[in-house]
Amino acid sequence: MSTTVQPLHRVSAKAARDARNKIYPRLTRGCFNTIRVLTVLITQAVFFGLPWLQWNGRQAVLLDIDHERFYLFGLILGPQDLVYLAGLLIVSALGLFGWTALAGRLWCGNACPQTVYTEIMLWIERAVQGDRPARMRLDAAPRAWNTLWRKGLSHGLMMGFALLTGATFVGYFTPIQDIATSGSWFALGGWTQFWLLFYAVFTYVLAGLLREQVCKHMCPYARFQGAMFDDDTLIISYDPVRGEPRGSRKQGDKPRGDCVDCSICVQVCPTGIDIREGLQYECIGCAACIDACDTVMDKIGAPRGLIRFTSQNAMARGVGRLFGWKTLFRPRMVVYAVLMASVIGAMGVGLWQHQPYKFNVLRDRAFLSRETDDGLLENGFTLRVMNYGESAQDYRVEVEGLPSASVSTRPEKIRVEANGDATVYAWVRADTADLPRGSHPFRFRLVPKQGEALETDASFIAE
């Protein structure tokens, strides 16, 4: 038995007709719904809990842009370490592309922030306004006290959750304990107020009001994700060989397929599509339709899987096995894996060799070169020493590469407090007899009391 999956449509006919109608997703239960709920709970536990973790008396995860420090538990990074952020973004993109090629839009249906927050807003709406029929009756009823207080309470709770989300988001950039103990809104800084409201408003508007419209019309990923699919990609599919001709099962009727045309798969879909029309770009891979259809199949005594996760090759061959070695290690998956491993490996090596201190060298702009009272040539430099360690550190400065050169600093004893920085003025002196006129390269060496020295190139001007 063989069949083919219907092609990817730009937009289904039903979705086009109902584009402006509000969608009331029906609550469903099943394996995939449990996974989705657990994903929401886990992601939000991490999001809301992470800023409250402490590490050595400070916030464990804090992106302190004002002080140019990025704290990740025991690792402290500076602006010059943004290459790791670029690496993280590359790994995330490759991971998303690889996962999409392997298993479709499971990220969208389970872990995407838009999906997660929309699910939470739906929980709030169901708790206050009732199930799907109750919400539909409430919207269809004339304006009355029952409608107003239920609508007002549900949207008030959504706004409250959005504000809490905004405050937590800002807590990754401003110490969250300062926000919690500020006492009043006016005690927060202007930028803190702006970003808190900005994130809260967008959370409420996108997840509380627009919901599926974001996935269908605003998300760019929905438009190009089909380009990453192939015949072995795991997608949600309706089996027309089993399901057609669809219709109710009554005694005396001519034989029909397993689909009883109950439309529950459409009622539970958060984007309002009919998966029986074939794969559509609006499908976010949440698998709610699978849970709903399996429940109906159990009731009528038919095998589960009329709607299921499968691939086009598996459907065409009529096999139940979803993945095999050839599927997992097909060329595009190998390319994604190699690229991810390379970037992760490079980042790992960089972090392994990461020094907890850095320094920058700038030439003194007041003069290029001058002669001292004892007949030596002198160049001035400004050194900025940054200590990203958890304890204070003592340093000394040396020079290499210039004959008979010496260096003096102010202050003479360089001490930088834990997670601090210091500005040091350095004067490099050399004998004119050893240096012809011109520019001469040399190196500054910053030597800590403990640890390896750092070197930075500079040039000495002899005039």
Side-chain angles (χ1 to χ4, degrees):
M1 180 175 66
S2 65
T3 185
T4 58
V5 178
Q6 296 184 34
L8 181 69
H9 301 296
R10 289 187 58 84
V11 62
S12 65
K14 186 177 187 305
R17 291 193 304 269
D18 298 342
R20 296 188 178 181
N21 293 342
K22 182 177 179 179
I23 295 176
Y24 302 85
R26 178 173 177 169
L27 181 63
T28 184
R29 290 179 175 84
C31 173
F32 294 105
N33 179 70
T34 301
I35 294 173
R36 189 164 60 254
V37 170
L38 288 176
T39 303
V40 171
L41 296 178
I42 292 172
T43 55
Q44 294 312 290
V46 172
F47 174 74
F48 285 105
L50 202 55
W52 293 99
L53 296 181
Q54 296 294 304
W55 186 277
N56 290 338
R58 59 168 172 79
Q59 190 168 316
V61 179
L62 179 64
L63 309 178
D64 192 349
I65 297 177
D66 288 342
H67 298 93
E68 299 180 351
R69 293 290 190 276
F70 308 103
Y71 305 94
L72 300 173
F73 295 94
L75 183 65
I76 304 177
L77 303 175
Q80 65 278 354
D81 297 313
L82 288 178
V83 63
Y84 297 113
L85 174 60
L88 180 62
L89 294 176
I90 292 173
V91 170
S92 299
L94 290 173
L96 180 61
F97 297 161
W99 184 252
T100 301
L102 180 67
R105 295 184 66 182
L106 286 185
W107 159 263
C108 294
N110 294 274
C112 174
Q114 173 65 22
T115 302
V116 168
Y117 289 128
T118 298
E119 189 74 13
I120 294 174
M121 297 302 186
L122 283 172
W123 291 351
I124 295 174
E125 192 174 88
R126 288 192 188 106
V128 178
Q129 301 182 23
D131 57 10
R132 181 176 187 266
R135 299 199 306 275
M136 295 176 70
R137 288 195 300 268
L138 197 66
D139 284 349
R143 300 298 178 186
W145 170 245
N146 181 61
T147 303
L148 293 177
W149 83 262
R150 288 185 182 275
K151 289 281 188 179
L153 179 58
S154 60
H155 283 275
L157 291 174
M158 291 180 194
M159 292 179 187
F161 175 78
L163 285 172
L164 180 61
T165 303
T168 303
F169 172 77
V170 173
Y172 282 90
F173 300 90
T174 299
I176 196 166
Q177 291 187 353
D178 294 347
I179 299 175
T181 59
S182 59
S184 70
W185 170 259
F186 300 100
L188 300 175
W191 281 112
T192 301
Q193 295 173 344
F194 171 79
W195 287 112
L196 192 156
L197 282 177
F198 180 88
Y199 197 82
V201 169
F202 266 72
T203 300
Y204 171 69
V205 171
L206 297 183
L209 300 180
L210 296 180
R211 296 182 182 176
E212 77 284 347
Q213 302 301 323
V214 175
C215 301
K216 294 167 66 174
H217 305 299
M218 299 173 63
C219 178
Y221 181 60
R223 301 292 176 171
F224 67 78
Q225 50 87 20
M228 291 177 278
F229 287 6
D230 59 25
D231 291 343
D232 289 308
T233 298
L234 194 64
I235 56 177
I236 297 177
S237 300
Y238 165 75
D239 190 345
V241 173
R242 272 191 55 188
E244 303 297 328
R246 68 184 74 162
S248 61
R249 291 186 171 186
K250 296 181 180 179
Q251 282 188 338
D253 283 357
K254 60 182 180 181
R256 293 185 179 275
D258 286 342
C259 179
V260 297
D261 202 18
C262 61
S263 76
I264 294 180
C265 58
V266 180
Q267 297 175 28
V268 300
C269 180
T271 58
I273 66 171
D274 188 345
I275 195 63
R276 297 172 298 179
E277 296 182 6
L279 180 63
Q280 300 145 65
Y281 81 88
E282 300 98 333
C283 176
I284 61 174
C286 67
C289 55
I290 297 180
D291 284 335
C293 187
D294 284 348
T295 301
V296 175
M297 293 298 104
D298 291 342
K299 291 180 178 179
I300 66 175
R304 290 188 170 195
L306 178 60
I307 300 175
R308 63 185 184 271
F309 273 112
T310 187
S311 66
Q312 291 190 8
N313 279 338
M315 288 279 285
R317 296 170 185 171
V319 297
R321 187 177 64 179
L322 298 177
F323 291 118
W325 290 108
K326 292 182 179 180
T327 301
L328 292 174
F329 293 97
R330 61 190 191 269
R332 69 170 62 192
M333 298 304 304
V334 173
V335 170
Y336 286 137
V338 170
L339 291 176
M340 287 182 63
S342 301
V343 177
I344 293 174
M347 292 174 60
V349 171
L351 290 173
W352 179 263
Q353 299 178 345
H354 183 267
Q355 294 287 356
Y357 54 93
K358 299 182 184 296
F359 80 112
N360 298 325
V361 177
L362 295 175
R363 177 173 293 278
D364 192 335
R365 296 182 179 181
F367 66 95
L368 289 178
S369 179
R370 65 187 177 189
E371 186 174 351
T372 63
D373 294 338
D374 51 4
L376 300 177
L377 282 180
E378 180 181 77
N379 284 196
F381 300 87
T382 300
L383 281 62
R384 188 186 180 198
V385 184
M386 293 158 282
N387 178 16
Y388 294 107
E390 299 284 358
S391 58
Q393 185 65 275
D394 296 317
Y395 305 91
R396 72 175 187 274
V397 177
E398 300 175 353
V399 293
E400 288 183 347
L402 282 178
S404 67
S406 62
V407 61
S408 61
T409 61
R410 189 180 68 202
E412 295 182 3
K413 296 182 178 180
I414 305 173
R415 183 176 179 83
V416 185
E417 297 300 325
N419 189 27
D421 57 68
T423 300
V424 179
Y425 300 97
W427 292 272
V428 179
R429 300 180 181 89
D431 194 336
T432 56
D434 298 327
L435 296 175
R437 294 174 61 87
S439 176
H440 303 273
F442 72 99
R443 289 184 301 277
F444 274 106
R445 296 184 76 245
L446 181 67
V447 184
K449 192 173 183 179
Q450 296 178 347
E452 299 181 0
L454 291 180
E455 297 183 350
T456 296
D457 293 332
S459 60
F460 186 89
I461 306 297
E463 292 184 346

